[in-house]
Amino acid sequence: CGNEYQEQLVNMFTMAVGGLHEILGDLGNVSEEWDEYDDDQQEFIQNVAIFLTSFLSSHLRLVETSASRASVIQAHQYVLRISQVDERELFKVCLEYWNVLVRGMYEDSRTSSFNAPSGLLNLGSNAGANGASMSADLRRQMYSGILTGVRYVMISRMARPEEVLIVENDEGEIVREFIKETDTITLYKAERECLIYLTHLDPKDMENIMVEKLNRQMDGSEWSWSNLNKLCWAIGSISGSMSEDQERRVLVIIIKDLLSLCELKRGKDNKAVVASNIMYVVGQYPRFLKAHWKFLKTVANKLFEFMHELHEGVRDMACDTFVTIAQKCRRHFIAHQPGEASPFVDEIIANAESITSDLMPQQVNRFCEAVGYLISAQLNTQTQAMLISGLMKPYNDEWNSLVQKVGENINVLEDLNVVKQLGNILRVNVSACGAVGKGFISQVGNIYIDMLGLYKAVSEIISSCVARDGAIATKYANVRAMRTIKKEALRL
């Protein structure tokens, strides 16, 4: 009964694929013609995708050994063609199946199946339904053309790896907010998983495709901000899935080409997009950076240069990338590297005021957070305290000056700029403290008493404003800025 059931499944699959071929042909232009289809035609294609992905997910091993090779490949060709359609929900259906396929093939290659001869005999024939599973090597060979196509599709459809919203916070300030879970990020994670498996299955093919796609950016045939972004997100997503030697070789080619592209492109907007992608890619490859100190130092200095770039978004990207690199490579910054007069973190702290001179307060917070991660890697308590003191000295000097003025005349707190400066200094302390950890207690001790006095003073001013003017007082700019001081003091 089981065998008859399986035979019927194979027969129905073969008939269905044959019938689809009579109706659809090879479906070669579906992505270009999609918008011209009426609702019924689009719905039919969607149903084809759901049918094929559902059937293959459940019965792939059966049809691989019992149906003709032509039918199996044709079915996958249809899913590949449909994956190219610019329709997100349809793509997600196909993506789910591609992950099933490549995950299974990767697991096969790990377990190294020994029944290749049996699979070879069954390939392209209608052997019995009990035929043994196809070997890992044979499956990889059979699907090589399909998987190359999937690699191209994944790169061209790559989703943004993070969502950043520009929002107004409770204090009326415009800030950047990182969104952890959205549909786009979920899609990115599924695509990244697929690309990692695809890289493991054939790293050389993945390398060739990515270098080819980058060459097309260089010669202008595929140049666009969107195409370059997607390519670089894809390159970043497969970090760690190649051997160290291959990763080094590929990354050197990619970074050289991206730097050349930055030189080739005219216009600040184009250069800014390329620069942001260079920063993104290098930030995703900590293994490479750790193995090449001089390159890591060059990247860090380049990021400090970008922190003076006036183009919107580049400074944010530079600060974010510095945080990423600091988290992943922190020990290399605090170690005394050969040929260096002192650890690089000393140089960064000594030049911090110059590096951050063009940054907005929120960007300064990110910079101090990154340096905090570097300092956290210093295990010598005394040396760590000296580094913290060096980083926080300009902020402590400003803090002491402002607190002294407030102590002499409480009305100084009516100056909105003074209140904002105090709030920003507390924010810097919070950012650095979160990164350094318990070692930051020495710095908290420096400002603790003054912070409590300031907290009390602004609380009394806020209470008197609300008592005098009612709830509308909470909307006043100076009251909102004072609430920032209270909030950051509590966080610290």
Side-chain angles (χ1 to χ4, degrees):
C1 182
N3 287 355
E4 290 176 13
Y5 171 71
Q6 290 182 338
E7 285 175 17
Q8 290 301 321
L9 275 176
V10 172
N11 290 336
M12 285 191 292
F13 170 75
T14 304
M15 289 170 61
V17 172
L20 286 172
H21 192 262
E22 289 179 16
I23 299 168
L24 301 173
D26 65 359
L27 210 58
N29 299 321
V30 64
S31 57
E32 291 87 1
E33 297 174 357
W34 178 256
D35 290 335
E36 298 170 15
Y37 288 178
D38 60 30
D39 290 347
D40 289 341
Q41 288 173 309
Q42 289 188 352
E43 186 179 355
F44 179 71
I45 297 296
Q46 289 168 346
N47 289 333
V48 169
I50 293 168
F51 162 68
L52 288 175
T53 55
S54 301
F55 185 93
L56 291 170
S57 294
S58 301
H59 305 293
L60 180 60
R61 300 292 182 146
L62 173 65
V63 295
E64 278 179 350
T65 55
S66 301
S68 71
R69 173 172 179 162
S71 296
V72 176
I73 295 299
Q74 182 66 66
H76 284 86
Q77 282 283 6
Y78 282 142
V79 180
L80 181 59
R81 299 285 192 208
I82 295 170
S83 301
Q84 295 166 351
V85 173
D86 189 13
E87 180 69 44
R88 177 174 282 209
E89 294 307 313
L90 188 55
F91 176 69
K92 283 157 69 174
V93 169
C94 300
L95 175 59
E96 187 177 352
Y97 172 69
W98 293 130
N99 267 326
V100 169
L101 175 67
V102 295
R103 189 186 305 119
M105 291 180 68
Y106 173 72
E107 288 168 357
D108 269 6
S109 66
R110 298 267 292 181
T111 53
S112 298
S113 176
F114 293 105
N115 48 14
S118 176
L120 187 61
L121 291 173
N122 286 325
L123 189 61
S125 69
N126 281 324
N130 288 324
S133 293
M134 196 179 292
S135 76
D137 287 343
L138 206 53
R139 294 186 82 208
R140 197 178 300 187
Q141 179 187 343
M142 177 177 172
Y143 292 115
S144 63
I146 295 292
L147 296 187
T148 294
V150 176
R151 291 181 183 98
Y152 277 106
V153 169
M154 289 300 145
I155 293 170
S156 66
R157 300 295 305 276
M158 201 67 193
R160 181 183 291 274
E162 62 186 12
E163 289 288 286
V164 182
L165 295 182
I166 307 300
V167 297
E168 183 179 350
N169 65 14
D170 294 338
E171 286 71 49
E173 298 165 313
I174 301 301
V175 297
R176 295 164 72 239
E177 187 175 287
F178 290 87
I179 311 301
K180 296 294 183 188
E181 288 298 331
T182 66
D183 181 62
T184 298
I185 293 173
T186 303
L187 180 61
Y188 168 78
K189 288 176 179 176
E191 290 176 313
R192 180 182 63 187
E193 180 185 356
C194 189
L195 277 171
I196 288 171
Y197 283 128
L198 287 165
T199 305
H200 279 296
L201 289 169
D202 193 343
K204 187 63 183 172
D205 191 42
M206 184 63 82
E207 174 189 340
N208 292 340
I209 290 170
M210 287 183 163
V211 171
E212 176 198 327
K213 297 283 281 184
L214 192 51
N215 286 338
R216 291 181 184 171
Q217 292 294 312
M218 299 280 289
D219 66 24
S221 60
E222 287 187 4
W223 162 254
S224 75
W225 294 356
S226 175
N227 286 344
L228 183 64
N229 286 340
K230 288 173 182 176
L231 174 59
C232 290
W233 296 336
I235 291 168
S237 75
I238 61 168
S239 172
S241 56
M242 294 179 177
S243 69
E244 198 163 350
D245 285 344
Q246 186 186 13
E247 183 176 279
R248 179 170 60 248
R249 185 180 70 252
V250 173
L251 209 53
V252 166
I253 293 169
I254 286 168
I255 291 169
K256 274 185 179 177
D257 283 354
L258 286 173
L259 288 170
S260 299
L261 191 62
C262 200
E263 294 297 317
L264 279 171
K265 288 299 167 189
R266 294 287 170 263
K268 280 200 165 186
D269 289 350
N270 289 332
K271 286 183 179 292
V273 169
V274 179
S276 296
N277 279 300
I278 293 171
M279 289 186 280
Y280 178 75
V281 169
V282 296
Q284 299 306 303
Y285 283 85
R287 181 171 66 175
F288 179 82
L289 296 175
K290 288 175 184 176
H292 302 85
W293 163 248
K294 288 189 175 178
F295 184 78
L296 173 55
K297 185 179 179 182
T298 301
V299 166
N301 283 323
K302 196 69 181 173
L303 292 176
F304 301 152
E305 280 182 36
F306 284 138
M307 289 179 192
H308 298 286
E309 172 61 56
L310 298 181
H311 193 285
E312 184 182 356
V314 173
R315 284 177 293 180
D316 282 326
M317 191 73 188
C319 293
D320 293 344
T321 304
F322 185 40
V323 170
T324 301
I325 290 174
Q327 287 174 313
K328 295 174 180 177
C329 307
R330 61 186 83 184
R331 295 188 186 281
H332 293 69
F333 284 85
I334 57 105
H336 199 143
Q337 300 288 348
E340 302 284 352
S342 62
F344 190 38
V345 68
D346 294 350
E347 186 182 325
I348 294 172
I349 290 172
N351 298 318
E353 286 187 88
S354 168
I355 293 169
T356 60
S357 60
D358 290 322
L359 296 182
M360 301 295 286
Q362 192 183 2
Q363 295 163 342
V364 172
N365 294 343
R366 291 290 277 168
F367 174 85
C368 290
E369 178 187 352
V371 179
Y373 285 122
L374 304 183
I375 294 172
S376 72
Q378 176 53 261
L379 301 180
N380 183 298
T381 308
Q382 191 175 357
T383 306
Q384 188 183 68
M386 288 173 59
L387 292 172
I388 294 169
S389 175
L391 174 65
M392 300 307 297
K393 184 181 184 305
Y395 306 103
N396 287 342
D397 290 346
E398 187 181 3
W399 171 267
N400 292 333
S401 172
L402 291 171
V403 166
Q404 185 179 347
K405 289 178 183 177
V406 172
E408 293 169 357
N409 180 7
I410 193 68
N411 292 330
V412 169
L413 288 176
E414 293 177 7
D415 185 335
L416 181 59
N417 287 331
V418 169
V419 178
K420 283 188 173 183
Q421 282 176 284
L422 288 166
N424 287 335
I425 295 168
L426 285 174
R427 276 207 182 104
V428 166
N429 277 272
V430 169
S431 297
C433 180
V436 173
K438 63 181 181 180
F440 203 76
I441 191 69
S442 58
Q443 162 62 16
V444 175
N446 290 333
I447 64 170
Y448 187 69
I449 300 300
D450 289 335
M451 185 174 70
L452 290 182
L454 183 64
Y455 186 94
K456 182 181 178 185
V458 297
S459 295
E460 289 173 354
I461 293 172
I462 291 171
S463 297
S464 65
C465 283
V466 172
R468 185 184 69 234
D469 297 338
I472 191 66
T474 59
K475 304 294 184 184
Y476 295 165
N478 63 331
V479 171
R480 294 172 87 171
M482 288 181 192
R483 289 175 66 183
T484 297
I485 290 176
K486 291 183 65 177
K487 183 177 72 173
E488 298 301 331
L490 291 171
R491 288 179 69 188
L492 190 58

